[in-house]
Amino acid sequence: MKVIADPRHALARGLSGIRAEFAVPEGFPPDVIAAAEAAAQRVPADHVDRSARPFVTLDPASSTDLDQAFAIEASGGDLLLHYAIADVAWFVSDGDAIDVEAWRRGETLYLPDGKAGLYPPILSENAASLLPSGPRPAVVFTVRVDPAGAVRLDGVERAIIRSRAKLAYDSVTADQLPPGFDDLARRIQAAEAARGAVRVDPPEQEVVMLPDGGFDLAFRPRLASEDANAALSLATNMAVAALLQANSTGLFRVMAEPDERAVAKLRLAAEALGISWPAEMTLEQLERRLDSAEPAQARLMLAIRRAGPGAAYAPFRAGIIPWHAAMAATYAHATAPLRRLADRYVVQAALDVANGRPPSATVQQAFAKLPAVMARSGTLSGRIERAVVDLAEAVLLSGEIGATFPAVATEADDKGAKVQLCALPVVARVTGTGIEPGARLDLRLAAVDVPGRTVRFERAG
């Protein structure tokens, strides 16, 4: 973690500028607020009572928009994962003011000084959120997980649940979790390894707002509890995807492998970070060796995540198997409907199909339109995230003008090269000729433009 010295509050002003530049919504229109207040009063009527089942949630400590709760029970040698998902469709009707605004937004946008939610807080952080403050409507997926980690959907139902506890990644203890939690996570992770999946979940480089109004540039490592919880979500999403694919419908998450050129750049990045990568070792083999607790390796994990062609959404197409290379499986997004628009429709389709009904025409039409909507919102989210990090790096380096930093060129052309600093997770551009990929350079920080979120390096000497 790097505490950013910012006595003139340039970072706070910069964040305000980012919000304006990218038109980040501030609040919700009055008609959307009014519709959400009315929806929050809806009394569940199509839900069975599962409030006796001991559900809990596990999220970052500060989260209040809780999409998922879970309970686990044994069934012979199998484990049954009861995965409750916020029943957003119970509160949001197709074509109403809330729905129209959600289609405009696509997903929740996160900035250090606050988020712009997909749905108004009265829903996303209250009535629809699976908080332990009372009963909540949910869609419960019962996923059977065998000893080898294979998953299958046993049933889907609308239900009333009551969370017993709001658990946090950084403080949860084993006795607070359902029996079987660790075993279930191990089964899912073992199945991933067996099918050759390589999910890259590096620590997140993030800008964190402090209680006193200052900011830290944090490199937050993933915790074991976070990885285990992700396995539960993965199991559910894979089971949902299999159900929908078998019934010739659905919206899937797809991703191709990094190409040869991307892998070559990653080898240069590894060299810059001092990470050994023998020529005979594949990218997949390297990824299995990386440790997110080591800063240099964590930075390479981030580079690997950014090197691929990126994930996208694709609706069902006859004769085509939707494939996610990192998961080595057919995969869908169903477990975060409070934060992603697409998940609401995947949940609705799964609920229908599992209960012998065809998905509605509205859901099928949504599957055709959602890839473009989610691509737009995902691009916007990525640009905002990059702008925030660029701003933080500019503020962080603003007092280092004239200092020299070792770096390695990762790409080069006739105008210069893209370089990665060896000691900091900073990628920059330097002009000049005769620079070859892999070349080691000493760079002098020549200028920093905090409002423009840029830094300029020159070759030293």
Side-chain angles (χ1 to χ4, degrees):
M1 183 173 289
K2 292 277 189 181
V3 178
I4 301 174
D6 186 23
R8 298 183 180 180
H9 306 292
L11 217 162
R13 290 195 302 275
L15 290 173
S16 179
I18 288 171
R19 287 178 173 275
E21 177 181 342
F22 293 103
V24 176
E26 293 186 12
F28 287 84
D31 63 327
V32 177
I33 294 293
E37 289 173 345
Q41 303 303 313
R42 292 192 66 186
V43 178
D46 298 336
H47 300 68
V48 297
D49 186 1
R50 302 296 182 211
S51 58
R53 188 171 283 157
F55 285 97
V56 296
T57 62
L58 181 58
D59 297 272
S62 61
S63 294
T64 52
D65 48 351
L66 308 185
D67 292 285
Q68 313 120 11
F70 56 89
I72 299 169
E73 64 176 299
S75 176
D78 297 341
L79 291 172
L80 294 182
L81 168 63
H82 303 290
Y83 210 63
I85 307 299
D87 191 359
V88 178
W90 178 254
F91 297 98
V92 181
S93 300
D94 295 317
D96 71 8
I98 311 168
D99 181 53
V100 170
E101 183 68 12
W103 274 87
R104 189 175 75 82
R105 298 187 180 213
E107 64 184 79
T108 296
L109 300 175
Y110 294 91
L111 288 90
D113 56 350
K115 64 189 175 187
L118 177 62
Y119 299 105
I122 193 172
L123 295 180
S124 63
E125 300 179 49
N126 194 341
S129 178
L130 304 182
L131 293 160
S133 54
R136 294 289 192 277
V139 177
V140 178
F141 295 84
T142 296
V143 182
R144 182 175 293 272
V145 183
D146 75 12
V151 301
R152 118 169 154 254
L153 207 52
D154 270 11
V156 186
E157 63 181 5
R158 274 188 151 145
I160 297 297
I161 71 156
R162 182 187 291 270
S163 172
R164 297 297 194 271
K166 180 180 181 292
L167 307 177
Y169 292 140
D170 59 359
S171 62
V172 65
T173 57
D175 62 294
Q176 295 174 313
L177 292 163
F181 176 81
D182 288 336
D183 185 16
L184 192 151
R186 280 193 296 269
R187 293 183 185 194
I188 300 303
Q189 291 161 351
E192 284 189 89
R195 66 176 184 269
V198 183
R199 286 189 299 126
V200 179
D201 291 316
E204 296 179 6
Q205 188 180 11
E206 61 184 5
V207 182
V208 181
M209 191 172 189
L210 301 175
D212 64 1
F215 294 89
D216 281 350
L217 180 59
F219 206 58
R220 184 180 67 81
R222 285 180 65 88
L223 301 170
S225 59
E226 190 172 359
D227 286 332
N229 194 46
L232 274 60
S233 181
L234 172 62
T236 305
N237 284 326
M238 287 182 58
V240 168
L243 172 74
L244 296 181
Q245 177 73 4
N247 285 272
S248 303
T249 188
L251 183 70
F252 304 92
R253 196 73 168 143
V254 296
M255 188 177 77
E257 298 276 6
D259 60 21
E260 291 183 5
R261 183 178 178 186
V263 173
K265 293 176 184 177
L266 288 170
R267 286 189 175 275
L268 295 173
E271 181 181 352
L273 293 166
I275 297 171
S276 174
W277 185 353
E280 67 276 9
M281 181 182 290
T282 66
L283 174 60
E284 177 182 333
Q285 291 168 333
L286 174 73
E287 289 179 89
R288 295 187 184 281
R289 290 178 45 191
L290 295 178
D291 181 358
S292 64
E294 294 292 330
Q297 295 183 42
R299 291 169 193 151
L300 184 60
M301 292 172 77
L302 279 172
I304 292 170
R305 171 182 278 182
R306 294 167 179 163
Y313 288 91
F316 171 82
R317 293 286 184 268
I320 297 175
I321 297 176
W323 197 249
H324 195 292
M327 304 296 180
T330 298
Y331 177 69
H333 272 169
T335 56
L338 291 174
R339 290 169 282 167
R340 291 187 302 246
L341 175 65
D343 295 41
R344 168 159 53 107
Y345 293 93
V346 174
V347 168
Q348 287 179 262
L351 180 62
D352 283 336
V353 169
N355 289 282
R357 303 184 298 267
S360 69
T362 300
V363 168
Q364 297 283 31
Q365 292 163 8
F367 286 158
K369 296 184 292 183
L370 279 164
V373 173
M374 300 307 295
R376 184 196 70 222
S377 64
T379 297
L380 175 61
S381 178
R383 291 178 65 196
I384 290 172
E385 179 183 351
R386 186 66 253 168
V388 169
V389 172
D390 286 346
L391 172 65
E393 291 175 345
V395 174
L396 181 67
L397 292 171
S398 61
E400 300 290 335
I401 294 176
T404 300
F405 299 85
V408 170
T410 58
E411 299 179 47
D413 54 34
D414 57 358
K415 295 181 181 179
K418 181 181 287 188
V419 297
Q420 181 165 343
L421 301 192
C422 296
L424 294 172
V426 174
V427 175
R429 178 100 187 158
V430 62
T431 59
T433 58
I435 304 174
E436 296 293 332
R440 292 188 173 274
L441 309 170
D442 286 325
L443 303 179
R444 185 179 69 86
L445 182 59
V448 175
D449 177 3
V450 172
R453 305 189 296 271
T454 61
V455 298
R456 182 168 61 85
F457 288 93
E458 296 175 344
R459 296 182 68 175

